Amino acid sequence: MRLEIPVPLPPVLQNLPLPIIGSPLFIISNPKLVIAQCKAGVVGAMPALNARPAELLDAWLAEITEALAAHDRAHPERPAAPFAINQIVHKSNDRLEHDLAVCAKYKVPIVITSLGARTDVNDAVHAWGGVVLHDIINNTFARKAIEKGADGLIAVAAGAGGHAGVKSPFALIQEIREWFAGPVALSGAIASGGAVLAAQAMGADLAYIGSAFIATEEARAADSYKQMIVDGSSDDIVYSNLFTGVHGNYLKGSILAAGLDPDNLATSDASQMDFAGAASRKAWKDIWGCGQGIGPIKQVVPAHELIERLASEYRAARARLVLT
């Protein structure tokens, strides 16, 4: 049974030119990419932990807010989409208090929380008027997130890049929509405009796209990383928890380049997760996260060109459905 009572999206998520959030990519996302995404009409996002040292976060948020404000002054007819900052709320993140304070200074409009739902974090974001979206991999975690005050959910289904779940998107969205009518973004192998429309058709409000943005000119990824995505397919993705203690999807070629056998990876101890330490940064630097939906990625392009393709495909998919 699906809830049929419509719940409007928070104002900050209404009237987006495209119903897309560019997911925060650890190490890879930076102000240049976020600004390009927002100017092109999708929510741009980056992890707070990408700013190293911690003091750099203030400068990055200043750069983003000033650039988007300048864009809006120059183009009042097509204002930029809002931006989001991802906060890892796991106990190993010893920067959380500092990074939240910087976000409060700039009144970051959207905060994406990961690896633990926390009432205190949600309350802090709400105090400056921000919206909290919490990423989850199953319905149990979804309920906990909303109970602790998150405004919306990011359903990370099978095939998503980086830390990912194993649930079918059909099953996950269906279960969430039985009890929750608020904002939901769907993550998992979305890299075409048709997939964006499919996410909406099954009940999500927004598509959450990450891996496709790695292969953009603005992304802070090695050229060989971007090319591996262009050359790859879903057959080149390996699911493992070895590298961070949390299960995620990675490019097989990067695992081979590290001298490991992708078909015989050990299992890691989840209790050893450390998202503030050098080990985590090294894992993501050398072992490249990526989702299964990279088939449509045929070349490295500027972010705005990728978004233009998604928009064109989205319109064409809607037109096909109307015609049938």
Side-chain angles (χ1 to χ4, degrees), residues 129-288:
V131 169
V132 178
L133 304 177
H134 186 71
D135 63 19
I136 55 87
I137 59 171
N138 59 45
N139 195 37
T140 299
F141 289 161
R143 287 184 179 274
K144 289 180 180 178
I146 298 304
E147 288 169 1
K148 293 189 176 184
D151 301 293
L153 300 167
I154 298 165
V156 185
H163 294 141
V166 296
K167 298 283 188 180
S168 158
F170 293 99
L172 187 54
I173 294 296
Q174 177 178 283
E175 291 178 358
I176 290 170
R177 283 307 191 201
E178 287 182 351
W179 60 272
F180 182 64
V184 175
L186 176 63
S187 171
I190 300 174
S192 71
V196 173
L197 184 60
Q200 290 185 302
M202 72 175 72
D205 299 293
L206 304 152
Y208 197 71
I209 300 177
S211 299
F213 283 107
I214 299 173
T216 60
E217 293 178 358
E218 294 87 351
R220 192 173 59 173
D223 289 342
S224 51
Y225 187 173
K226 297 178 183 183
Q227 192 60 43
M228 194 175 289
I229 289 174
V230 170
D231 295 338
S233 72
S234 58
D235 291 336
D236 299 303
I237 305 303
V238 175
Y239 189 66
S240 172
N241 80 337
L242 173 62
F243 307 109
T244 68
V246 180
H247 274 94
N249 283 312
Y250 304 90
L251 284 164
K252 183 183 295 184
S254 69
I255 297 172
L256 288 167
L260 299 172
D261 180 356
D263 296 321
N264 292 284
L265 295 175
T267 299
S268 181
D269 181 357
S271 68
Q272 301 303 309
M273 287 188 292
D274 179 6
F275 291 95
S280 180
R281 295 198 300 277
K282 179 174 174 54
W284 289 96
K285 182 176 182 295
D286 298 336
I287 308 295
W288 296 336

